[in-house]
């Protein structure tokens, strides 16, 4: 691993990974306007070669497509990758609670023991590996007790099929149930300069129980990258097309923030996106920041953020800029 990359532990599991992780939702294509397999594999290779070991995927990202691409990419590099995948979004049976339809296929939230046992085998097959480093419940299932879910996950851990247990998209009461039922190693939640609710709800509980926190949408679906021009138009099934957060007015506010962050960025010879990611990793309780990339250039840009340590003065300047430019951002 590149020695310049910040590395951190996934809770009490003993698993160590790069603080910057590669998120592969976009690589699955769904809701991101399709995918290019060759460019996606190049992005994963570039990440690993730059010392980014944490690769986050899920069966729901393209109904297995993302996991399949990750599996192809990690051949010959498995020992340098820390793979996080997920369970609980099930399109193989009618059990659980209906969540959404993808391309006409009903997808249910289901975290029963039989569903988890089936899903892990499918993920292992698609990934081409015999273990998953961090296995995360993707969305919570109101039809299954959390204690039953944890028991099933701990059986997989005892069998060596997973190394650490995580939960995503949960509330404080559910997090309390998880930590009461067994060793929860991580939570994965939306967090960015624009989405800070978990600072008051989940992170205090996670820190109390030594549970790592993985932030997703650290760049707010790319809005905080500073690379989306106010005039850009989104098309097809790109989820940003009708998202009010991507209004031209909001993009102008982000452009003003980019200008305000320029002095800090110049000190570190970094882009706005890299500074935003480094700021995210400096927030109390945030252990890992997941950042999407669809090609090698984007992946290397994200990796560079994992080498930046911001001073207390720089963090103060960034916080002031955020308060001045993003506090009234719409949606």
């Amino acid at each position: 691993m590149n020695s310049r990359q910040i590395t951190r532990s996934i809770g009490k599991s003993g698993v160590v990974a790069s603080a910057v992780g590669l998120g592969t939702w976009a690589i699955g294509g769904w809701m991101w306007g399709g995918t290019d397999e060759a460019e996606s594999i190049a992005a994963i290779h570039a990440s690993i070669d730059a010392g980014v070991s944490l690769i986050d995927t899920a069966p729901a990202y393209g109904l297995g497509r993302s996991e399949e691409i990750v599996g192809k990419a990690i051949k010959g590099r498995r020992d340098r990758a820390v793979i996080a995948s997920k369970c609980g979004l099930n399109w193989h049976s009618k059990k659980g609670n209906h969540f959404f339809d993808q391309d006409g296929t009903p997808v249910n939230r289901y975290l029963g023991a039989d569903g988890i046992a089936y899903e892990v085998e499918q993920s292992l097959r698609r990934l081409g590996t015999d273990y998953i480093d961090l296995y995360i419940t993707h969305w919570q299932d109101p039809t299954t007790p959390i204690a039953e879910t944890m028991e099933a996950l701990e059986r997989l851990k005892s069998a060596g099929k997973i190394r650490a247990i995580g939960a995503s998209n949960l509330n404080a009461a559910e997090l309390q149930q998880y930590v009461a039922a067994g060793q929860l190693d991580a939570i994965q939640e939306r967090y960015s300069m624009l989405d800070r609710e978990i600072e008051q709800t989940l992170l205090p509980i996670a820190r109390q129980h030594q549970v790592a926190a993985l932030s997703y949408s650290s760049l707010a679906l790319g809005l905080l990258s500073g690379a989306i021009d106010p005039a850009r138009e989104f098309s097809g099934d790109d989820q940003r097309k009708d998202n009010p957060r991507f209004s031209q007015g909001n993009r102008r506010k982000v452009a003003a923030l980019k200008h305000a962050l320029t002095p800090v960025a110049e000190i570190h010879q970094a882009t706005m996106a890299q500074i935003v990611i480094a700021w995210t990793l400096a927030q109390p309780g945030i252990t890992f920041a997941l950042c999407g990339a669809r090609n090698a250039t984007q992946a290397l840009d994200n990796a560079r953020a994992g080498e930046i340590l911001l001073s207390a003065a720089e963090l103060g300047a960034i916080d002031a800029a955020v308060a001045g430019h993003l506090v009234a951002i719409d949606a």
Side-chain angles (χ1 to χ4, degrees):
M1 178 178 288
N2 187 327
S3 61
R4 294 178 298 172
Q5 285 289 328
I6 301 167
T7 59
R8 294 174 175 172
S9 297
I10 301 177
K12 294 181 285 186
S13 69
V15 180
V16 175
S18 58
V20 167
L22 174 64
T24 66
W25 181 10
I27 281 174
W30 176 58
M31 295 183 73
W32 287 91
T35 188
D36 182 299
E37 182 174 306
E39 285 204 336
S40 298
I41 290 174
I44 297 167
H45 286 173
S47 295
I48 294 174
D49 292 344
V52 172
S53 58
L54 180 59
I55 312 293
D56 179 81
T57 184
Y61 300 164
L63 297 184
R65 184 74 175 126
S66 175
E67 283 188 325
E68 289 170 352
I69 292 173
V70 170
K72 291 178 181 179
I74 63 174
K75 285 183 179 178
R77 291 174 166 84
R78 179 65 183 95
D79 61 335
R80 297 161 60 193
V82 177
I83 302 299
S85 196
K86 306 178 186 72
C87 61
L89 292 187
N90 170 28
W91 62 92
H92 310 289
S93 77
K94 296 180 179 179
K95 292 183 177 180
N97 179 270
H98 181 260
F99 195 26
F100 59 85
D101 291 339
Q102 184 173 338
D103 297 330
T105 300
V107 177
N108 290 352
R109 290 184 292 178
Y110 182 59
L111 287 168
D114 58 331
I116 290 173
Y118 176 81
E119 282 199 71
V120 74
E121 297 300 334
Q122 297 304 305
S123 289
L124 291 171
R125 175 183 58 79
R126 286 189 290 259
L127 290 164
T129 185
D130 56 2
Y131 68 96
I132 294 169
D133 297 281
L134 173 61
Y135 202 45
I136 303 165
T137 58
H138 200 159
W139 286 86
Q140 302 312 304
D141 165 23
T143 72
T144 304
I146 285 173
E148 177 185 330
T149 297
M150 276 297 283
E151 184 179 353
L153 292 169
E154 289 184 323
R155 281 198 297 268
L156 294 182
K157 191 173 179 180
S158 296
K161 294 188 176 184
I162 65 174
R163 299 176 66 201
I165 297 170
S168 185
N169 300 304
L170 72 171
N171 59 39
E174 290 165 337
L175 177 53
Q176 292 282 22
Q177 291 178 58
Y178 268 103
V179 296
Q183 182 180 309
L184 185 74
D185 301 301
I187 56 172
Q188 182 172 322
E189 297 292 329
R190 185 173 78 160
Y191 180 83
S192 74
M193 290 176 172
L194 297 175
D195 303 289
R196 303 181 66 170
E197 297 85 359
I198 66 170
E199 291 178 353
Q200 306 301 321
T201 58
L202 298 177
L203 291 185
I205 302 169
R207 294 169 73 184
Q208 178 186 353
H209 294 277
Q210 299 179 56
V211 174
L214 291 74
S215 72
Y216 70 77
S217 289
S218 306
L219 294 174
L221 302 177
L223 179 61
L224 294 175
S225 69
I228 298 177
D229 186 271
R232 177 176 168 181
E233 294 185 3
F234 300 101
S235 60
D237 74 343
D238 192 314
Q239 62 181 308
R240 296 169 291 184
K241 182 173 64 173
D242 300 314
N243 188 334
R245 181 171 275 184
F246 283 81
S247 69
Q248 288 189 346
N250 285 348
R251 282 186 258 173
R252 282 193 289 270
K253 293 174 184 176
V254 171
L257 174 66
K258 181 179 181 180
H259 178 74
L261 297 185
T262 296
V264 176
E266 288 180 344
I267 290 171
H268 293 276
Q269 297 182 309
T271 64
M272 175 179 172
Q274 291 162 347
I275 295 301
V276 170
I277 295 167
W279 173 91
T280 302
L281 289 171
Q283 300 312 297
I286 299 295
T287 321
F288 303 94
L290 300 174
C291 307
R294 302 183 68 166
N295 56 55
T297 299
Q298 293 173 356
L300 290 174
D301 285 346
N302 293 342
R304 169 76 177 90
E307 304 172 3
I308 297 172
L309 287 173
L310 298 169
S311 69
E314 289 168 341
L315 288 168
I318 294 169
D319 287 339
V322 169
H325 296 288
L326 298 187
V327 68
I329 204 162
D330 302 330

